[in-house]
Amino acid sequence: MRLILTWFINAAALLAVPYLIHSVSVTDLGAALVAALVLGLVNTLIRPILVVLTLPVTVLSLGLFIFILNGFMFWLVAQLVDGFHVANFWAAIGGALLYSVISWALSTLLLKNDGHS
């Protein structure tokens, strides 16, 4: 149940991003749900591999390259999902940053930590 609630929280965060960055658009709730699901899968399966492969660049940039990597993941999902559009790569970086912050804030407010891991 918690996984489904997290999925809906991420979809809500994705629906909020276009109100703050106008170069990101989500057509409807269905597109947001699909994009949130694909974004979760991409971040779970592909992102760890890219983090390891780009570790030297990340260390040299003092961790700032992670923002580029997150933007790339956000942009990649926008290319794969109909109804989710990102105008350019800088919008993808900003959108990924806002998506993370909004998703974290909503998760903190709505999901209770009951002490079970």
Side-chain angles (χ1 to χ4, degrees):
M1 185 66 167
R2 186 176 175 96
L3 184 64
I4 293 171
L5 185 57
T6 302
W7 179 33
F8 280 107
I9 287 171
N10 288 339
L14 201 55
L15 283 171
V17 169
Y19 290 102
L20 301 169
I21 297 181
H22 298 292
S23 19
V24 175
S25 65
V26 180
T27 56
D28 58 0
L29 179 62
L33 286 170
V34 172
L37 180 66
V38 174
L39 196 55
L41 290 172
V42 165
N43 281 333
T44 300
L45 301 174
I46 298 173
R47 188 174 181 272
I49 296 167
L50 290 178
V51 167
V52 170
L53 290 175
T54 61
L55 192 60
V57 177
T58 303
V59 170
L60 285 175
S61 68
L62 302 175
L64 294 177
F65 191 74
I66 292 294
F67 290 114
I68 304 296
L69 203 57
N70 288 343
F72 176 71
M73 296 290 107
F74 200 76
W75 175 81
L76 178 66
V77 171
Q79 299 303 311
L80 297 173
V81 176
D82 288 333
F84 176 45
H85 178 74
V86 178
N88 56 47
F89 190 69
W90 291 109
I93 293 172
L97 182 63
L98 273 175
Y99 171 74
S100 297
V101 169
I102 294 169
S103 177
W104 169 80
L106 287 174
S107 294
T108 301
L109 291 173
L110 298 176
L111 296 177
K112 286 188 174 182
N113 187 3
D114 58 1
H116 295 99
S117 295

